Amino acid sequence: DFIKNILVDKLATKKLVIGYDHHFGKNREGSFVHLKKSAPDYGFEVEEIPEQDIDDVAVSSTKIRNALNNGNLSIAKQYLGYDFELNGTVVHGDQIGRTIGFPTANILVKEKYKLIPKDGIYAAIAYINEKQYAGMLYIGNRPTLNETKKVIELNIFDFHQDIYNQNIQVQVKEFIRDDHRFENLEALKAQLGNDEEMVRRFFELMKL
């Protein structure tokens, strides 16, 4: 019933690509074998994605999520095959970063379901109007300012353009440190200076 009513009549499926462990239907009894058997009768093709192993570890969405939640960007990249990205719109913030010498682009990610890596500072590459810029990404609720709302902010190195309301693509390259609460803005500014030095050194070593 699922194959006929949903895949064929409703979706007009011509080719179905599914994971090796995909199941469907009542009690999840349907499998690749059922689809392969029924495909010729209903005029569609079925292709199975085999289990992929990296260093003898089965790749799954759960492992990718766990890697990102732990700030393990290199592991996530191995599993994904590419750098993890955030895409969003640059919106107005409270401009506190500008007052301490670290102006940021506040990024609004519209997709509520989008997985956001763990709180902290990251080395990142931004793509704006098809140009590439290195920067320092912050994810967190800005505990030094006693805030609770999570923000995503990017300090773009050597960049002075107005990009409000523009789309921005950010490749998250490397986790630098966890988020912390500092005694005051001066202490935060000092730490951000250290963070910038580490991020710039990372890009130099990676020749990015």
Side-chain angles (χ1 to χ4, degrees), residues 2 23-30:
F2 177 83
H23 294 278
F24 64 94
K26 184 178 180 180
N27 298 322
R28 295 174 57 81
E29 294 175 357

mmCIF file of all heavy atoms in Angstrom, residues 2 23-30:
data_model
loop_
_atom_site.group_PDB
_atom_site.id
_atom_site.type_symbol
_atom_site.label_atom_id
_atom_site.label_comp_id
_atom_site.label_asym_id
_atom_site.label_seq_id
_atom_site.Cartn_x
_atom_site.Cartn_y
_atom_site.Cartn_z
ATOM 1 N N PHE A 2 1.909 1.278 0.810
ATOM 2 C CA PHE A 2 2.792 2.450 0.864
ATOM 3 C C PHE A 2 3.450 2.688 -0.494
ATOM 4 O O PHE A 2 3.510 3.820 -0.985
ATOM 5 C CB PHE A 2 3.864 2.246 1.937
ATOM 6 C CG PHE A 2 4.870 3.358 2.017
ATOM 7 C CD1 PHE A 2 4.603 4.511 2.735
ATOM 8 C CD2 PHE A 2 6.093 3.259 1.354
ATOM 9 C CE1 PHE A 2 5.527 5.550 2.790
ATOM 10 C CE2 PHE A 2 7.018 4.291 1.406
ATOM 11 C CZ PHE A 2 6.735 5.437 2.133
ATOM 12 N N HIS A 23 14.036 1.476 6.474
ATOM 13 C CA HIS A 23 12.838 0.638 6.603
ATOM 14 C C HIS A 23 11.614 1.539 6.572
ATOM 15 O O HIS A 23 11.670 2.718 6.900
ATOM 16 C CB HIS A 23 12.874 -0.167 7.903
ATOM 17 C CG HIS A 23 13.962 -1.189 7.938
ATOM 18 N ND1 HIS A 23 13.844 -2.432 7.361
ATOM 19 C CD2 HIS A 23 15.222 -1.143 8.456
ATOM 20 C CE1 HIS A 23 14.961 -3.121 7.531
ATOM 21 N NE2 HIS A 23 15.820 -2.355 8.189
ATOM 22 N N PHE A 24 10.489 0.989 6.180
ATOM 23 C CA PHE A 24 9.281 1.794 6.033
ATOM 24 C C PHE A 24 8.056 0.914 6.269
ATOM 25 O O PHE A 24 8.147 -0.309 6.410
ATOM 26 C CB PHE A 24 9.225 2.409 4.623
ATOM 27 C CG PHE A 24 9.113 1.387 3.517
ATOM 28 C CD1 PHE A 24 7.879 1.037 3.012
ATOM 29 C CD2 PHE A 24 10.241 0.771 3.006
ATOM 30 C CE1 PHE A 24 7.767 0.087 2.001
ATOM 31 C CE2 PHE A 24 10.143 -0.177 1.999
ATOM 32 C CZ PHE A 24 8.897 -0.519 1.493
ATOM 33 N N GLY A 25 6.901 1.595 6.299
ATOM 34 C CA GLY A 25 5.643 0.873 6.419
ATOM 35 C C GLY A 25 5.310 0.468 7.842
ATOM 36 O O GLY A 25 5.995 0.827 8.801
ATOM 37 N N LYS A 26 4.253 -0.309 7.974
ATOM 38 C CA LYS A 26 3.787 -0.746 9.282
ATOM 39 C C LYS A 26 4.863 -1.550 9.989
ATOM 40 O O LYS A 26 5.433 -2.489 9.430
ATOM 41 C CB LYS A 26 2.518 -1.588 9.122
ATOM 42 C CG LYS A 26 1.899 -2.002 10.442
ATOM 43 C CD LYS A 26 0.626 -2.796 10.220
ATOM 44 C CE LYS A 26 0.008 -3.216 11.560
ATOM 45 N NZ LYS A 26 -1.238 -4.006 11.347
ATOM 46 N N ASN A 27 5.144 -1.143 11.239
ATOM 47 C CA ASN A 27 6.180 -1.788 12.056
ATOM 48 C C ASN A 27 7.544 -1.785 11.368
ATOM 49 O O ASN A 27 8.401 -2.610 11.679
ATOM 50 C CB ASN A 27 5.783 -3.229 12.403
ATOM 51 C CG ASN A 27 4.516 -3.304 13.215
ATOM 52 O OD1 ASN A 27 4.282 -2.464 14.087
ATOM 53 N ND2 ASN A 27 3.678 -4.293 12.921
ATOM 54 N N ARG A 28 7.705 -0.884 10.408
ATOM 55 C CA ARG A 28 8.978 -0.761 9.676
ATOM 56 C C ARG A 28 9.407 -2.088 9.064
ATOM 57 O O ARG A 28 10.584 -2.453 9.032
ATOM 58 C CB ARG A 28 10.072 -0.214 10.606
ATOM 59 C CG ARG A 28 9.810 1.201 11.076
ATOM 60 C CD ARG A 28 10.819 1.677 12.099
ATOM 61 N NE ARG A 28 12.183 1.608 11.613
ATOM 62 C CZ ARG A 28 12.755 2.522 10.812
ATOM 63 N NH1 ARG A 28 12.044 3.556 10.411
ATOM 64 N NH2 ARG A 28 14.005 2.390 10.417
ATOM 65 N N GLU A 29 8.426 -2.799 8.526
ATOM 66 C CA GLU A 29 8.701 -4.115 7.946
ATOM 67 C C GLU A 29 9.214 -4.018 6.513
ATOM 68 O O GLU A 29 9.806 -4.958 5.993
ATOM 69 C CB GLU A 29 7.432 -4.974 7.987
ATOM 70 C CG GLU A 29 6.981 -5.315 9.403
ATOM 71 C CD GLU A 29 5.661 -6.062 9.431
ATOM 72 O OE1 GLU A 29 5.081 -6.249 8.345
ATOM 73 O OE2 GLU A 29 5.224 -6.445 10.518
ATOM 74 N N GLY A 30 8.956 -2.873 5.862
ATOM 75 C CA GLY A 30 9.416 -2.718 4.489
ATOM 76 C C GLY A 30 10.915 -2.468 4.434
ATOM 77 O O GLY A 30 11.487 -1.821 5.310
#
